[in-house]
Amino acid sequence: MTYRRAAIPALVGGLLLTALLWWAGASTQALHLPGTTGVIGGRAAAELEHWLTPWSYDPPASVGFGVEVSGGTGDTAGNGSTRYLALYTTALQIRFAAVFAFFVPVALLLIRRLPPVHGRMPAALLAVWAWGLVAGTLAVTVSAPWLIASQGHGSYRFLPQLASVISSGRQALVATALVAAVGTVLVARVTAEGAGPLPQEAVPARAARLAATAGTAVIALSLVVLSYQEVAAALQTVSPGNGLFAEPGDLLRQWLLLGAWSSPAGTPLGDWLLYRAADVLLLAVVWWALRRLPGLLTRTTVPAMAAGAVCATVLGLLASQVLRVATDGVGLHWGLLQLSAGIGGGVPAALTCGLVAGFVAAVTLRVAMERTETVDATASDPSSVRP
């Protein structure tokens, strides 16, 4: 699929995702209407406001701008408040622009290498959906410094504040990214018509399995080793020094750990194993996706494998979170919104580990395919057989 044909759906998807997030943020005003609490309940309204506030141009009521601010002679606290409010508006402008900027290039790559034709429609839809979550998370990340500065205490525990901001707004991303993915794939299906036969590499099954296993091992390193309670605690408490970049533990945990687990001390073994089933599901989804990915791509390149591995890890996280919600008996006492609060977490770690997993899988696949071609060439050459 040519770049021209793939660019149209990528641009449409980027605009749709940005518009949906802006609309979601603007909808926070409706939650303050007198009849809203009576219709959906006070707890549900508060939960929805918490989800949508990171995408709203209206600052939360809990944030005080320019408290006792004075920038010099003749400057007043009101002027300082206006400046801090302008920083908040700038942060949101950067956030929405970054959503579009991060979504379009990788969506272009995914649609070009994974066009939604010839049985690839579900795979393309899931991949674009997962990347929408990643693009939104990256947008929140790059706009976080302006948002922190707008609160007037950006120099105080900056890295923990950064980690807190990055983890916000993910619930709205899950729904909006899905709608944007559907629109992107439908437009890509139309633009792909008449493109002619698409190239596809023949990938040996053994090489694909080796690549999937190598990539899944990288994800397992984060999920099983780094996420173990003692190792995770060591990462959480690391603090190389004082100053603006001290206390990076929260940030490291968010970008390196895909979960958290401990030994079944004081917990029935059956319950512990049931809770760990979500982690097994995550690894199974990643392995299955990496196993199928080389056969679905029109050309197996390192960027395509890396993007596919990131998307596979995000999808595995979503599947494990849904299973965990279904198996958590405590959550049955809460409503649907409270049950869904944990959906969409772990995307920064999925991006970090997925990129490494995709690179490892691509290299393993290339080496395995070259070895297979060498063995086949040797077996088919009569001169290589000794008398």
Side-chain angles (χ1 to χ4, degrees), residues 263-276:
S263 302
T267 304
L269 181 60
D271 295 343
W272 184 83
L273 290 175
L274 181 63
Y275 204 71
R276 297 275 68 80

Side-chain angles (χ1 to χ4, degrees), residues 150-234:
S150 71
Q151 298 174 10
H153 46 80
S155 61
Y156 174 71
R157 302 185 76 236
F158 176 75
L159 293 183
Q161 289 186 79
L162 183 62
S164 176
V165 173
I166 292 172
S167 63
S168 63
R170 62 182 186 271
Q171 295 89 352
L173 273 171
V174 175
T176 54
L178 178 59
V179 177
V182 172
T184 303
V185 171
L186 290 177
V187 175
R189 185 66 178 264
V190 174
T191 59
E193 293 181 358
L198 298 172
Q200 187 171 357
E201 293 187 35
V203 180
R206 183 174 180 273
R209 287 195 296 268
L210 285 175
T213 302
T216 306
V218 176
I219 305 300
L221 176 66
S222 171
L223 188 64
V224 178
V225 179
L226 297 181
S227 296
Y228 184 59
Q229 188 177 43
E230 296 182 1
V231 181

Side-chain angles (χ1 to χ4, degrees), residues 11 15-16 22 26 59 62 82 123 125 143 145-146 165 170 174 244 250 255 262 270 286 292 299 325 338 378:
L11 290 172
L15 290 172
L16 184 57
W22 178 86
S62 60
T82 302
L125 175 62
S143 63
W146 283 267
V165 173
R170 62 182 186 271
V174 175
L244 184 64
D250 289 339
W255 287 89
S262 60
V286 171
R292 293 290 310 277
R299 185 183 175 191
V325 167
Q338 286 74 25
T378 303

Side-chain angles (χ1 to χ4, degrees), residues 67-142:
V67 179
E68 300 296 333
V69 173
S70 180
T73 305
D75 196 11
T76 63
N79 292 332
S81 177
T82 302
R83 292 177 180 178
Y84 279 86
L85 185 58
L87 275 175
Y88 184 90
T89 303
T90 301
L92 268 294
Q93 291 172 347
I94 294 173
R95 181 166 297 184
F96 286 112
V99 168
F100 181 83
F102 282 119
F103 179 84
V104 171
V106 179
L108 174 63
L109 173 66
L110 290 172
I111 293 169
R112 188 165 185 262
R113 297 299 180 202
L114 192 63
V117 293
H118 305 306
R120 297 186 179 98
M121 186 80 167
L125 175 62
L126 292 174
V128 176
W129 178 31
W131 182 251
L133 270 68
V134 178
T137 301
L138 290 174
V140 172
T141 302
V142 299

Side-chain angles (χ1 to χ4, degrees), residues 223 276-285:
L223 188 64
R276 297 275 68 80
D279 298 334
V280 176
L281 177 62
L282 192 159
L283 295 176
V285 169

